[in-house]
Amino acid sequence: MNLPDLQISWLRTFITVVEAGSLSAAALLLFRSQSAVSMQIKKLEAALSCTILSRGPRHLEVTPSGVELLSYARRILELQSKAQEALIGPPLSGSVRLGVPDDYASAYLTPVLQSFTNRYLNVDIELICEQSTSLIPRINNNDLDIALVSRDKEKHGEFLFKEPMVWVGSPKYELWRRNPLPIAVYEAGSMAQIETLLALGELNRDSRIIYQSSGLAGQIAAVESGLAVAALTRCSVPSELQILKNLPAEYNLPKLGSMDVSVFRSKKSKNSSAVDAIYAQIVQTLGGNYG
């Protein structure tokens, strides 16, 4: 009896779907369409003559057959990696110092790192979370290898996409009705604070800074507790806060611009294959796919 082959690409797709939790999330990590990912799972199930994923209305569940296959699939991919290392050479290794602001880390860095670490198990990543205005000088001083930031000047770094800024508030307090408007902002000199204050000035809306923080968590806490409204990147707005738009004219807030999200790397890192790899991963995963 001739049994059908289990293609490596099918097994890799299956593992990625299980780890990502959905076909759509796996499609982003694999750089394929959702329909292509679904087709590979169907081919794998046809080859095995069993169901490995149970497709519910909201999420996927791994069937008992899928759980058993998962163990074999991981061992097969591990054995393939060892064979490649023995015949081709050692895998990519090294360390990368990667800087990113809090809001971009939670929204955009996860798919990058999931895909990267699945491919390059021997690369160590040191993650530094600071504001862009702090990270850019550290790149220029070779204190970091690479950073995902809001760029300060046009043509600096590799442009990826635009991230809109939005006003947010708590619907429980409706602080946008107050005059002067109580606002929470990033630290003095940050691009987000400058953008916020310029927009308010152009609208002649009286405001008062009552909270400043270099971190995202502090600003969200200030808004949730009814201390202020804030201007945040759209990707960082939690579900419990309200994006303030279409307000009555007397409470209107100025339209905010967008941040140019870019990837920077230091001059010292130009000879690092590990930095080359994660730089390429960031550009491939994020370039033009968001905003």
Side-chain angles (χ1 to χ4, degrees), residues 5 72 88 97 107:
D5 290 333
Y72 286 113
I88 300 173
R97 295 166 298 171

Side-chain angles (χ1 to χ4, degrees), residues 20-279:
S22 69
L23 294 175
S24 57
L28 288 174
L29 297 175
L30 294 165
F31 311 109
R32 292 177 175 270
S33 66
Q34 184 172 333
S35 59
V37 170
S38 179
M39 182 58 67
Q40 287 200 321
I41 296 297
K42 289 179 181 178
K43 289 180 178 179
L44 183 54
E45 289 180 327
L48 293 167
S49 299
C50 66
T51 301
I52 56 176
L53 292 174
S54 175
R55 298 159 179 81
R58 295 186 178 180
H59 62 279
L60 294 176
E61 290 186 359
V62 185
T63 67
S65 295
V67 172
E68 186 175 6
L69 173 64
L70 190 61
S71 176
Y72 286 113
R74 285 174 170 151
R75 286 156 59 188
I76 289 170
L77 290 183
E78 182 181 0
L79 188 58
Q80 182 202 39
S81 178
K82 290 182 178 179
Q84 290 173 330
E85 181 178 348
L87 298 172
I88 300 173
L92 184 67
S93 62
S95 61
V96 177
R97 295 166 298 171
L98 171 60
V100 63
D102 289 339
D103 46 357
Y104 296 162
S106 57
Y108 300 123
L109 201 59
T110 298
V112 171
L113 293 181
Q114 281 181 333
S115 184
F116 184 82
T117 53
N118 281 339
R119 297 175 61 190
Y120 304 111
L121 301 177
N122 295 314
V123 175
D124 297 323
I125 297 176
E126 179 185 354
L127 191 62
I128 298 94
C129 288
E130 295 177 3
Q131 289 304 308
S132 297
T133 46
S134 299
L135 295 173
I136 292 172
R138 295 186 67 176
I139 287 288
N140 294 333
N141 294 332
N142 294 310
D143 188 36
L144 293 175
D145 298 311
I146 195 166
L148 180 68
V149 297
S150 298
R151 66 181 178 185
D152 53 348
K153 296 179 181 178
E154 189 176 357
K155 297 183 179 180
H156 277 192
E158 175 79 14
F159 173 75
L160 299 173
F161 60 90
K162 287 185 174 291
E163 176 63 32
M165 297 285 295
V166 295
W167 290 101
V168 297
S170 171
K172 292 191 295 185
Y173 301 104
E174 297 189 346
L175 295 181
W176 52 88
R177 297 174 178 270
R178 294 189 183 178
N179 192 37
L181 180 73
I183 59 174
V185 294
Y186 285 104
E187 78 278 11
S190 69
M191 287 175 281
Q193 190 200 92
I194 292 170
E195 170 72 23
T196 302
L197 297 181
L198 282 176
L200 287 167
E202 290 176 359
L203 190 67
N204 293 320
R205 178 75 189 264
D206 289 338
S207 62
R208 181 167 63 97
I209 298 174
I210 65 165
Y211 185 88
Q212 291 190 71
S213 172
S214 61
L216 175 65
Q219 289 194 71
I220 290 177
V223 176
E224 288 179 338
S225 60
L227 293 176
V229 299
L232 304 177
T233 50
R234 186 175 62 187
C235 68
S236 66
V237 180
S239 59
E240 60 270 20
L241 295 184
Q242 177 182 346
I243 294 180
L244 304 178
K245 56 183 179 179
N246 301 322
L247 297 176
E250 62 268 32
Y251 306 124
N252 196 27
L253 295 173
K255 185 177 181 180
L256 299 168
S258 299
M259 298 289 108
D260 284 351
V261 182
S262 304
V263 57
F264 282 57
R265 65 179 298 176
S266 67
K267 291 182 178 178
K268 190 176 179 180
S269 73
K270 294 298 182 182
N271 296 322
S272 169
S273 297
V275 177
D276 290 344
I278 198 165
Y279 183 93

